[in-house]
Amino acid sequence: MMTLDTLNAKFGLPGHISFKEKTAGFVVAEVTNAAGTASIAIQGAQVIRWAPTKEKPVIWLSTAAKFAPGKSVRGGVPICWPWFGAHATDSTFPGHGYARTVYWEPVATKALSDTQTQLVFRLVESDTTRKQWPHTTPVECHITVGVSLEVELVTRNADKIPVTITEALHTYFEVEDVRQVKVLGLENTDYLDKVEGGKRKQQAGAITIASEVDRVYLDTTAECIIDDVAGKRRIHITKQNSQSTVVWNPWIDKATKMGDLGENGYLKMLCVESGNAADNTVTIQPGSEHRLSVSYRVSR
Ligand code: BG6
């Protein structure tokens, strides 16, 4: 792992990027430009904050989030990779894969303009990751901070055989009051309802949240809009090379058990995750790559 001095010397950009220690051993890239600000933890290449200029944060971070090496942070944009949810065969492997809890190293940073800053991270493999994933699939995350936030996860298959993954950008969005939110874009779409043991259902109308919601919407490439009625703003979510959208809010009982959602945190957040999950697996041929990407922006 690079020291702070090395990170700043190699990848800091005056007026755009500086690396700081948030808590002992937990390093964050602080990004500033004329369009907004963001914080990105190098653990997990996890965006933990993004606020366009004159806007409240769009990305939610729990007030009770813990920042500790090797632990997943509650909030932001955790990367679920190379599997989403429980591992298919080994329950001792971490849920949602290991990408979100391991160190990623910056490989490039660039000020694209006064209003756009780009950072590229690469997951650093270790004996632990290799034990859980016996494939050679270098993965990079390209993050562009501007009027919109763009995140692209690039998986390359450098193996000799096809490799199948599931994945998601497990984004927590900040809302004023989740009870008044409407999620648009998934009308008439089939989903697996994890609250009812994975039962297959079809969405009727806009999604509203009045109890625990944990759904994997399948075979959908649709743009979603979080209409944050109480917050008087809309968050637009567009995606590419993603066939699934996961919508999750733990509601009060699960949030209390989880312990890191913060007081009434479940009312202030909603996860709308773009990815490829459940039946929507992705098989990457040897020598090929797969790019999952999202773009988030706000309108009023
Ligand atoms: C969602 C899953 O994507 O992530 C939920 O559908 C899960 O089932 C949630 O509870 C949070 O997962 P974790 O591992 O970050 O607590």
Side-chain angles (χ1 to χ4, degrees), residues 72 74 84 95-96 100 170 172 194 214 246 248 258 273:
S72 69
R74 184 65 63 195
F84 176 85
H96 290 330
R100 60 181 177 164
H170 190 307
Y172 291 73
K194 288 169 94 175
D214 191 356
V246 179
W248 179 63
M258 289 166 73
E273 311 164 31

Side-chain angles (χ1 to χ4, degrees), residues 286-299:
S288 297
E289 63 179 28
H290 160 72
R291 292 173 172 256
L292 164 66
S293 61
V294 293
S295 175
Y296 306 136
R297 70 180 172 88
V298 173
S299 74

